[in-house]
Amino acid sequence: MGEPGESRRGPLKSAVPSNVVSPVRRCSRTACGRPAVATLTYVYADSTAVLGPLATYAEPHCYDLCAEHSERLTAPRGWEVVRLALDAGPARPSGDDLEALANAVREAARPQERAAGAGGAPSPGSSRDTHPMEVARRGHLRVLRSPDS
C-alpha cells in the first residue's frame, strides 16, 4: 500500500486540524470562548454552589467560567452561593495540599465521629479542634483562614 497513513484514496486527513487545540482552558458556557478564571462546583447535598479560583486540573463535574460569567453567576432559589477569593496570579500548589488531602481521607474514614458531631457543637477530638485555621463549615465544606492573616 505504500506509506503509513495512506489509503488507496490518498493520504488520510484529520477531521480537526491540530492547530485548533489550545492549552488555555476556556469558559464552559456555550458559545463563550474567553479564558477561564474560576471554577464552579455544585454540592447538591448541601444546595450550595461554590465558585473559587481556577482549579489546577479540569474535573468532569466542575465548570470553568470566564470573569464575566463568574461575576454574573446566580444559583437556584433556596441555594447558597459561596464565593471564594479569586487569585490574580497563576495557581501555585502549596506544600499543604498533600496534608489537606490526608486530613480529608482521615475524616472520611471516621463516619461515626461525623455523625456524633452533627448535633451542633463539635465533639471533642473532632476536626474542628485539630484545625485552628478553620473559620466556618457547611456540611463537608470548610473555609480556612489564610496563613498570612
Side-chain angles (χ1 to χ4, degrees), residues 94-109 131 142:
S94 70
D96 295 333
D97 291 340
L98 184 59
E99 183 178 349
L101 179 61
N103 289 337
V105 169
R106 280 190 214 109
E107 184 175 329
H131 297 290
R142 290 187 276 183

Side-chain angles (χ1 to χ4, degrees), residues 26-98:
R26 300 286 175 190
C27 183
S28 297
R29 296 292 302 263
T30 304
C32 181
R34 291 184 288 265
V37 298
T39 298
L40 171 65
T41 306
Y42 291 106
V43 182
Y44 295 98
D46 297 332
S47 298
T48 303
V50 180
L51 182 68
L54 188 62
T56 306
Y57 301 102
E59 296 288 336
H61 299 289
C62 296
Y63 303 92
D64 295 337
L65 299 176
C66 65
E68 181 181 338
H69 286 122
S70 63
E71 289 171 8
R72 296 187 314 163
L73 174 74
T74 60
R77 185 175 296 154
W79 281 56
E80 181 178 350
V81 177
V82 176
R83 293 180 186 267
L84 304 175
L86 299 179
D87 295 332
R92 291 180 223 118
S94 70
D96 295 333
D97 291 340
L98 184 59

